[in-house]
């Protein structure tokens, strides 16, 4: 099992910045990727940014150029620096870990979510 604890959400004005952090604990072997997803009211959960083994990153088009994901392997943390925030970034943000449990299967673990609200 993997336990995830997020922090750093809150209320920010448009154009502002926030930094989300996620601390992972438990079985941290065979981790394929760590990342951030978000879910706005009435919408499906969507990928924001993801970092896979080797440091390769994937970003949603909406996040490119504004958000930066980083991972500290020694501390088992993943962070999301969000700049130039827009009202449409308002959502609950979830930390995610993908762990390979067999050659053909992986398990997804989720944090409890942290609210990000962008409003004036």
């Amino acid at each position: 099992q993997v336990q995830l604890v997020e922090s750093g959400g809150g209320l920010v004005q448009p154009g502002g910045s926030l930094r989300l952090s996620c601390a992972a604990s438990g079985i941290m072997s065979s981790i394929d990727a760590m990342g951030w997803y978000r879910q706005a009211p009435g919408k499906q959960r969507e990928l924001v940014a993801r970092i896979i083994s080797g440091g390769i990153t994937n970003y949603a088009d909406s996040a490119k150029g504004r958000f930066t994901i980083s991972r500290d392997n020694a501390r088992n943390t993943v962070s999301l620096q969000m700049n130039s925030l827009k009202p449409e970034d308002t959502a609950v943000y979830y930390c995610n870990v993908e762990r390979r449990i067999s050659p053909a299967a992986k398990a997804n673990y989720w944090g409890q979510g942290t609210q990000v609200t962008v409003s004036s």
Side-chain angles (χ1 to χ4, degrees), residues 39-45:
Q39 188 166 18
K43 295 187 176 181
Q44 290 188 331
R45 191 172 297 187

Side-chain angles (χ1 to χ4, degrees), residues 50-102:
R50 179 172 170 263
I51 184 166
I52 65 176
S53 299
I56 297 173
T57 56
N58 303 128
Y59 290 93
D61 287 343
S62 59
K64 289 178 182 177
R66 299 188 299 128
F67 295 1
T68 302
I69 189 170
S70 59
R71 177 177 173 181
D72 185 332
N73 290 327
R75 298 184 179 185
N76 290 328
T77 59
V78 60
S79 299
L80 185 69
Q81 178 65 43
M82 304 187 293
N83 299 327
S84 302
L85 283 161
K86 304 175 182 179
E88 51 263 44
D89 294 318
T90 295
V92 178
Y93 284 68
Y94 296 91
C95 180
N96 168 266
V97 164
E98 300 171 31
R99 180 172 174 266
R100 185 148 301 278
I101 56 176
S102 77

Side-chain angles (χ1 to χ4, degrees), residues 2 17 20 29 34 47 56-57 76 83 90 97 102 109-110 112 116:
V2 176
S17 298
L20 306 182
S29 59
M34 299 180 76
L47 172 71
I56 297 173
T57 56
N76 290 328
N83 299 327
T90 295
V97 164
S102 77
Y109 300 91
W110 297 94
Q112 79 282 1
V116 171

